[in-house]
Amino acid sequence: MPVSAGVRKRIKELLDPDDEIHYVFPADVFGSTNPGVFFAVTRKTITILTTGYLSRKMPKRVVSTTLRNHRIGPVDTSTVPWFKFNGVDYEIDDEYIAVVHAADAEIMRAKPEDPLPDL
């Protein structure tokens, strides 16, 4: 299920007002007692927001911000879809694999490798 407009609005309130959200998806921190987070991929950053203990449906605060020049994936789909980001393992639902791939493709297009580095 896509992330609701209410969740996007709340995330926008917690981000830099000059920034623009490109992608949002929920994830679970593997093995955590407070597993619910949202990834907000913006023009400038990848921001992780926690949902708190009582509700896994609404972001409460920012727990991590990384510059946008990092990839999120790759997503391992051999079992439950998961990926490692900044040393933490996250699980996602199947429907959000494409969102992670799209966010990573966007950053890869922004900084293509030089096909002829020796010239």
Side-chain angles (χ1 to χ4, degrees), residues 1 7 14 25 41 59-61 73 76 82-83 87 99 114:
M1 172 175 14
V7 169
L14 295 168
F25 62 92
V41 181
K60 303 290 185 206
R61 66 182 176 90
D76 183 333
W82 70 277
F83 60 90
V99 177
D114 186 349

Coordinates of all heavy atoms in Angstrom, one line a residue, residues 1 7 14 25 41 59-61 73 76 82-83 87 99 114:
M1 N 0.8 -1.2 0.0 CA 0.0 0.0 0.0 C 0.9 1.2 0.0 O 1.8 1.3 0.8 CB -0.9 0.0 1.2 CG -1.7 1.3 1.4 SD -2.9 1.5 2.7 CE -2.7 0.2 3.8
V7 N 0.9 10.8 6.1 CA 2.2 10.5 6.5 C 3.3 11.3 5.7 O 4.2 11.9 6.3 CB 2.5 9.0 6.2 CG1 4.0 8.7 6.4 CG2 1.7 8.1 7.2
L14 N 8.9 17.5 9.3 CA 10.1 17.1 10.0 C 11.4 17.3 9.2 O 12.5 17.2 9.7 CB 10.0 15.7 10.5 CG 8.9 15.4 11.5 CD1 8.8 13.9 11.7 CD2 9.2 16.0 12.8
F25 N 9.2 5.3 1.9 CA 8.7 4.0 2.1 C 9.0 3.6 3.6 O 9.9 4.0 4.2 CB 9.4 3.0 1.2 CG 10.9 2.9 1.3 CD1 11.5 2.0 2.1 CD2 11.8 3.8 0.6 CE1 12.9 1.9 2.3 CE2 13.1 3.7 0.7 CZ 13.7 2.7 1.6
V41 N 13.4 9.9 1.0 CA 14.5 10.2 0.1 C 14.1 11.5 -0.6 O 13.1 11.7 -1.2 CB 14.7 9.1 -1.0 CG1 15.8 9.5 -1.9 CG2 14.9 7.8 -0.3
P59 N 5.2 8.9 11.5 CA 6.6 9.3 11.9 C 6.6 10.3 13.1 O 5.7 11.2 13.1 CB 7.2 9.9 10.7 CG 6.1 10.1 9.7 CD 5.0 9.3 10.1
K60 N 7.5 10.1 14.0 CA 7.5 10.9 15.2 C 8.7 11.9 15.2 O 8.6 13.0 15.7 CB 7.6 10.1 16.5 CG 6.4 9.1 16.7 CD 5.1 9.8 16.9 CE 4.1 8.8 17.2 NZ 2.8 9.3 16.9
R61 N 9.9 11.3 14.8 CA 11.1 12.2 14.9 C 12.2 11.6 13.9 O 12.1 10.4 13.5 CB 11.7 12.3 16.3 CG 12.2 11.0 16.8 CD 12.7 11.2 18.3 NE 13.1 9.9 18.8 CZ 14.3 9.4 18.7 NH1 15.3 10.1 18.1 NH2 14.6 8.2 19.2
G73 N 20.2 0.5 -1.5 CA 20.3 -1.0 -1.8 C 21.7 -1.4 -1.9 O 22.6 -0.7 -1.6
D76 N 18.3 -7.5 -0.9 CA 18.4 -9.0 -1.0 C 17.0 -9.6 -1.0 O 16.3 -9.4 0.0 CB 19.3 -9.5 0.1 CG 19.5 -11.0 0.1 OD1 18.7 -11.7 -0.5 OD2 20.5 -11.4 0.7
W82 N 15.3 -7.5 2.2 CA 16.1 -6.7 3.2 C 17.3 -6.0 2.6 O 17.7 -6.4 1.5 CB 16.5 -7.5 4.4 CG 17.6 -8.5 4.1 CD1 17.4 -9.7 3.5 CD2 19.0 -8.3 4.2 NE1 18.7 -10.3 3.3 CE2 19.6 -9.5 3.8 CE3 19.8 -7.3 4.8 CZ2 21.0 -9.6 3.8 CZ3 21.1 -7.4 4.8 CH2 21.7 -8.6 4.3
F83 N 17.8 -5.0 3.3 CA 19.0 -4.3 2.8 C 19.7 -3.8 4.0 O 19.1 -3.6 5.1 CB 18.7 -3.2 1.8 CG 17.8 -2.1 2.4 CD1 18.3 -1.0 3.0 CD2 16.4 -2.2 2.3 CE1 17.5 0.0 3.5 CE2 15.6 -1.2 2.8 CZ 16.1 -0.1 3.5
G87 N 25.1 0.3 8.1 CA 25.4 -0.7 9.1 C 24.1 -1.3 9.8 O 24.3 -2.1 10.7
V99 N 10.6 0.9 -5.1 CA 10.9 2.2 -4.7 C 12.4 2.4 -4.3 O 13.0 3.4 -4.7 CB 10.0 2.6 -3.4 CG1 10.4 4.0 -2.9 CG2 8.6 2.5 -3.8
D114 N 32.5 7.5 -15.4 CA 33.2 7.9 -16.7 C 33.5 6.7 -17.5 O 34.2 5.8 -17.0 CB 34.5 8.7 -16.3 CG 35.1 9.2 -17.6 OD1 34.8 8.9 -18.7 OD2 36.1 10.0 -17.4

